[in-house]
């Protein structure tokens, strides 16, 4: 990210302690960098200790401050509880970004139950487990906080060829709207961002393996491009930082108008693929999954 394009003053987020799930890579790392740069203490979690150490080391070198990596698979509620205990020993969180995700393109008829669960256990269940564990502590201690979930525009119109992701993220949208109301009285607010394409390594390898597939929307976008990381980071800071405390229960798209123009999903790009192409895509995606798995510490 071009950090000079952050819209906010240094020190804006001093006193904030924010957990970003999936913060070692991709969009999570970018948001973590922005929060750190603006003075927040940042906690990132993920399944690969190496990626967390690398991100925390590089970002601390660049911006100073405190950023801590926690190896934690959010599919495991016990592991979440231990991580949040460790964070709480030094003080409460003031914010959580539910960013961690898993996804891959597939014809739905090619999915197994395990394939569905691999995605929904991370996105749908895992994000809820994190929200519940942190939320209970905040309610008990009477503290305010902000929760932000990273969704997609598919929550509004469905995601053909990414059905487990679309279903899971739509569920998190319902969580955002529900808890904004139910837990608003405790001073806890819930918002979400629905990004269009912000290409990352993890996403491109699974949604556009080999460069073909879902990640080819730039020319269809009204603004002729994909998103830039500082644009996402600015919106995340606005929603997580002090000063926007009355924004609650909102899901905000950031996609250059792609959703309005062409629905924002992958139907057009993938509908004509045949068996052989799907087989090749699946092989590439599984290769990426295996490589990532080998780097995992949890
Ligand atoms: C069909 C597949 C498959 C594929 C995996 N599976 N890839 N099925 N087609 N391409 C099946 C496997 O065969 C297995 O089922 C089951 O899924 C679990 O596979 P594992 O590889 O063992 O899972 P695991 O190692 O736990 O990995 C989880 C993952 C992986 C979700 C599959 O992709 C992951 O860790 N992703 C994290 C990063 C990521 O996805 N980032 C992109 C986020 S993009 P069987 O039946 O064989 O046991 C995003 C939104 C983008 O969220 C929005 C853009 C607009």
């Amino acid at each position: 990210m071009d950090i000079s394009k952050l819209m906010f003053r240094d020190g804006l987020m001093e006193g904030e302690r924010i957990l970003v799930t999936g913060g070692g890579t991709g969009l999570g790392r970018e948001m973590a960098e922005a929060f750190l740069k603006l003075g927040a203490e940042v906690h990132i979690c993920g399944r690969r200790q190496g990626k967390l150490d690398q991100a925390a080391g590089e970002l601390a070198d660049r911006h100073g401050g405190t950023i801590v990596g926690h190896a934690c698979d959010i599919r495991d509620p016990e592991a979440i509880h231990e991580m949040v205990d460790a964070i709480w020993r030094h003080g409460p969180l003031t914010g959580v970004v539910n960013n961690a995700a898993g996804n891959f393109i597939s014809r739905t008829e090619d999915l197994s139950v395990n394939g569905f669960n691999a995605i929904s256990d991370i996105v749908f269940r895992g994000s809820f487990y994190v929200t519940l564990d942190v939320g209970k502590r905040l309610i008990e201690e009477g503290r305010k906080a902000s929760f932000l979930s990273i969704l997609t525009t598919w929550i509004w119109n469905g995601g053909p060829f990414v059905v487990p992701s679309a279903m899971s993220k739509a569920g998190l949208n319902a969580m955002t709207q529900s808890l904004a109301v139910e837990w608003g009285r405790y001073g806890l607010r819930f918002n979400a961002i629905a990004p269009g394409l912000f290409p990352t390594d993890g996403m491109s390898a699974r949604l556009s393996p080999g460069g073909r597939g879902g990640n080819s929307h730039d020319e269809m976008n009204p603004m002729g491009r994909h998103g830039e990381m500082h644009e996402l980071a600015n919106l995340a800071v606005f929603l997580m930082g002090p000063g926007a405390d009355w924004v609650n229960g909102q899901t905000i798209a950031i996609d250059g108008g792609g959703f309005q123009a062409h629905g924002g999903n992958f139907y057009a790009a993938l509908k004509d693929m045949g068996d052989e192409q799907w087989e090749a895509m699946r092989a590439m995606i599984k290769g990426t999954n295996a490589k990532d798995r080998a780097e995992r510490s949890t």
Side-chain angles (χ1 to χ4, degrees):
M1 160 171 53
D2 182 348
I3 204 80
S4 71
K5 292 186 174 168
L6 278 187
M7 295 161 63
F8 300 94
R9 64 172 167 79
D10 281 350
L12 178 81
M13 299 190 81
E14 263 166 30
E16 308 285 344
R17 294 180 87 231
I18 297 179
L19 170 65
V20 182
T21 67
T25 54
L27 304 188
R29 180 180 157 141
E30 303 287 341
M31 290 183 281
E33 178 170 15
F35 301 149
L36 185 71
K37 163 80 166 64
L38 298 173
E41 178 181 315
V42 179
H43 295 262
I44 54 177
C45 71
R47 292 172 291 178
R48 289 173 290 169
Q49 186 74 58
K51 292 280 180 197
L52 295 165
D53 291 346
Q54 190 186 346
E58 286 175 10
L59 297 182
D61 282 350
R62 209 173 290 161
H63 304 296
T66 303
I67 176 165
V68 184
H70 303 266
C72 175
D73 187 336
I74 64 164
R75 291 178 286 196
D76 177 354
E78 292 296 319
I80 292 169
H81 196 69
E82 280 172 28
M83 170 181 68
V84 182
D85 271 349
I87 294 172
W88 233 263
R89 252 172 247 135
H90 303 279
L93 286 168
T94 64
V96 173
V97 181
N98 285 315
N99 163 80
N103 199 0
F104 52 78
I105 50 170
S106 175
R107 291 184 298 206
T108 302
E109 61 269 33
D110 295 337
L111 288 174
S112 63
V113 168
N114 278 349
F116 177 80
N117 288 345
I119 293 170
S120 60
D121 283 352
I122 300 171
V123 181
F124 181 68
R125 291 187 186 78
S127 302
F128 179 75
Y129 298 156
V130 172
T131 303
L132 184 65
D133 197 290
V134 175
K136 280 179 171 176
R137 296 174 201 243
L138 292 165
I139 291 169
E140 192 175 325
E141 295 177 16
R143 297 180 192 280
K144 288 185 183 177
S146 176
F147 290 77
L148 178 65
S149 292
I150 306 303
L151 308 178
T152 72
T153 57
W154 311 326
I155 57 164
W156 292 306
N157 63 342
F161 306 110
V162 283
V163 166
S165 166
M167 290 172 66
S168 299
K169 287 187 180 262
L172 292 187
N173 195 45
M175 179 182 84
T176 298
Q177 293 174 329
S178 307
L179 290 182
V181 176
E182 188 183 332
W183 285 358
R185 62 188 146 161
Y186 301 124
L188 304 180
R189 62 195 183 93
F190 288 80
N191 294 293
I193 296 176
L197 282 178
F198 286 81
T200 65
D201 291 346
M203 178 255 192
S204 300
R206 294 178 177 91
L207 302 184
S208 283
R212 166 96 205 266
N215 194 2
S216 51
H217 272 162
D218 288 1
E219 67 290 348
M220 292 160 72
N221 187 277
M223 305 190 77
R225 64 172 177 89
H226 53 73
E228 293 193 20
M229 292 302 177
H230 69 272
E231 295 167 331
L232 177 82
N234 278 322
L235 182 55
V237 171
F238 173 75
L239 290 170
M240 295 300 287
D245 289 359
W246 218 40
V247 181
N248 188 23
Q250 300 305 305
T251 299
I252 302 174
I254 176 165
D255 70 343
F259 174 65
Q260 278 86 359
H262 54 75
N265 64 34
F266 295 168
Y267 181 64
L270 300 179
K271 69 182 171 49
D272 296 325
M273 285 202 337
D275 290 345
E276 274 178 31
Q277 285 167 304
W278 276 113
E279 187 49 51
M281 293 271 188
R282 193 155 46 242
M284 282 189 271
I285 293 168
K286 288 195 171 187
T288 302
N289 291 345
K291 191 172 141 290
D292 282 9
R293 212 165 31 244
E295 294 175 4
R296 267 181 224 159
S297 46
T298 63

